[in-house]
Amino acid sequence: MEQIISNRELILVAYANEGPVTDAHLKIRETQLDVGSVGKDGSPGDVAVQNLWISVDPYLRQLMKQSDDGLYMPSFQLNQVIRSASVGKVVASANPAFEVGDIVSGFYQVSEYAIVPGGGLRKIDTSVAKPSDYLGLLGMPALTAWSGFTIVGEPNPGDEVFVSAAAGSVGMLVGQLAKIKGCRVVGSAGSDQKVKLLKEEFGFDDAFNYKSETDWDAALARYFPRGIDIYFDNVGGRMLEAVLNNINMKARIPLCGMISQYNQEWKQRFGVRNLLNLVGKCVKMEGFMCVQYLHRMGEFLEEMTGYIKEGKLKYKEDVKEGLESFLEAFNSMFSGDNLGKPVIYLGPPQ
């Protein structure tokens, strides 16, 4: 039985190889979707979902370029719907694992409604955390923070920890995990308001506005008189170079992202000039992606939900409403105008 609904989806119409993403690259397309056809087109197990929350994350910038540019993830296809981590409500199901009304999360189309394979979805427990938390506090940013800091970073009590982009979706959690593990932690952020947030809400020992500091080498020497044991790198570029001048023997550097360089073609990016410090200080610098640690999802969820129940973790979202706000939310991460993790709300009026 047909059940046609009006739908809107966000498509990539042109690659953005350099500079910011604009409305010349992303467009909203109006379509119609037959949710009554779920499971009847040769795809048993499909589920129709009404999107409620869509995650906006920096790594999506790399997927809007024509080449994979270092992340080795396939670029979005032109004139096709882009994808992101999302939370939605099941409105039709041909999968016995899901019933109408279930709240689910997955990585699928950035649209108001979507038909997705049930194998890529998981039910979420809204008694543990609110639905949007499964895009942040218990989602990919949290798995990234947890795996990068605890597994790659190998923290020890008393370690001196520096987190760049510390008010971002990953950084705010890294800092709190550092405190839970008994470390001293300092973060950098792009506004005085974010610095205040880090110290007063998230419990960082200290923080600074990198836009106000004219000499990052001197700033790090001031904030870390005993040097840096762990640098959780979200930005790359000049900040990484400054860190290497203040790094300790046997330090660890989990490379999570390089947001300061994403809008540039790779030949135009800042080249770090003091990598020899890695040799002399016997530093471990390791890139990672959270998908490497999906096999430890159970361990991650158990530890993080425990911290949530104990009141040890806080999280801040920067909520925008409607598909029209996606581009604004996306670019706010690169300008530093966001205050918390950007998420798009598509549900009924709150």
Side-chain angles (χ1 to χ4, degrees), residues 73-117:
M73 298 171 65
S75 302
F76 292 131
Q77 294 183 3
L78 290 182
N79 300 311
Q80 299 297 315
V81 189
I82 68 170
R83 295 171 178 263
S84 184
S86 304
V87 167
K89 180 174 69 174
V90 175
V91 295
S93 175
N95 191 311
F98 301 98
E99 298 179 355
V100 171
D102 283 345
I103 305 298
V104 296
S105 66
F107 184 87
Y108 52 87
Q109 298 96 309
V110 175
S111 56
E112 293 174 337
Y113 291 85
I115 295 177
V116 298

Side-chain angles (χ1 to χ4, degrees), residues 4 11 13 141 158 160 181 206 225 270 278 285 289 321 350:
I4 306 296
I11 64 171
V13 296
E160 297 278 333
K181 303 292 184 182
D206 217 331
F270 181 84
L278 297 172
M285 184 163 69
M289 297 180 71
E321 295 193 9
Q350 299 188 90

Side-chain angles (χ1 to χ4, degrees), residues 162 186 188 208-228 231 236-247 270 272-275 277:
F162 176 48
V186 177
S188 64
F208 65 90
N209 182 346
Y210 69 85
K211 293 180 180 178
S212 301
E213 295 283 355
T214 57
D215 186 336
W216 292 348
D217 278 358
L220 290 174
R222 188 168 71 250
Y223 284 100
F224 291 98
R226 295 182 296 176
I228 298 170
Y231 171 44
R238 290 177 53 231
M239 188 63 80
L240 175 58
E241 183 173 277
V243 166
L244 293 183
N245 286 332
N246 292 274
I247 204 74
F270 181 84
V272 177
R273 298 166 292 184
N274 55 351
L275 292 175
N277 291 3

Side-chain angles (χ1 to χ4, degrees), residues 259-277:
I259 194 171
S260 72
Q261 308 295 302
Y262 286 167
N263 279 338
Q264 297 168 292
E265 195 268 338
W266 75 270
K267 292 180 181 179
Q268 307 302 317
R269 292 174 182 162
F270 181 84
V272 177
R273 298 166 292 184
N274 55 351
L275 292 175
L276 189 60
N277 291 3

Side-chain angles (χ1 to χ4, degrees), residues 163-176 186-199 202 204 207-208 210 234-235 315-318 333 336 338-342:
V163 185
S164 55
S169 59
V170 174
M172 69 176 87
L173 289 172
V174 172
Q176 293 175 84
V186 177
S188 64
S191 72
D192 292 342
Q193 187 179 14
K194 289 182 178 181
V195 167
K196 182 178 180 182
L197 181 74
L198 293 175
K199 294 194 289 186
F202 299 137
F204 280 61
F208 65 90
Y210 69 85
N234 288 305
V235 302
Y315 205 69
K316 187 171 182 63
E317 297 171 336
D318 192 342
M333 296 183 295
N338 63 306
L339 191 62
K341 174 182 169 48

Side-chain angles (χ1 to χ4, degrees), residues 6-14 21-32 54 79-82 110-113 321-328 344-346:
S6 297
N7 189 31
R8 297 191 307 159
E9 52 194 23
L10 195 62
I11 64 171
L12 183 71
V13 296
V21 178
T22 71
D23 57 10
H25 306 108
L26 291 176
K27 301 282 187 186
I28 292 176
R29 179 169 65 190
E30 297 187 358
T31 64
Q32 291 190 319
I54 294 174
N79 300 311
Q80 299 297 315
V81 189
I82 68 170
V110 175
S111 56
E112 293 174 337
Y113 291 85
E321 295 193 9
L323 282 183
E324 298 87 353
S325 64
F326 184 95
L327 192 57
E328 176 191 355
I344 306 298
Y345 180 66
L346 298 179

Side-chain angles (χ1 to χ4, degrees), residues 55-76:
S55 183
V56 183
D57 299 289
Y59 77 92
L60 296 173
R61 179 66 185 86
Q62 298 302 97
L63 307 187
M64 298 177 191
K65 297 181 178 182
Q66 195 161 11
S67 66
D68 56 37
D69 198 29
L71 286 186
Y72 304 102
M73 298 171 65
S75 302
F76 292 131

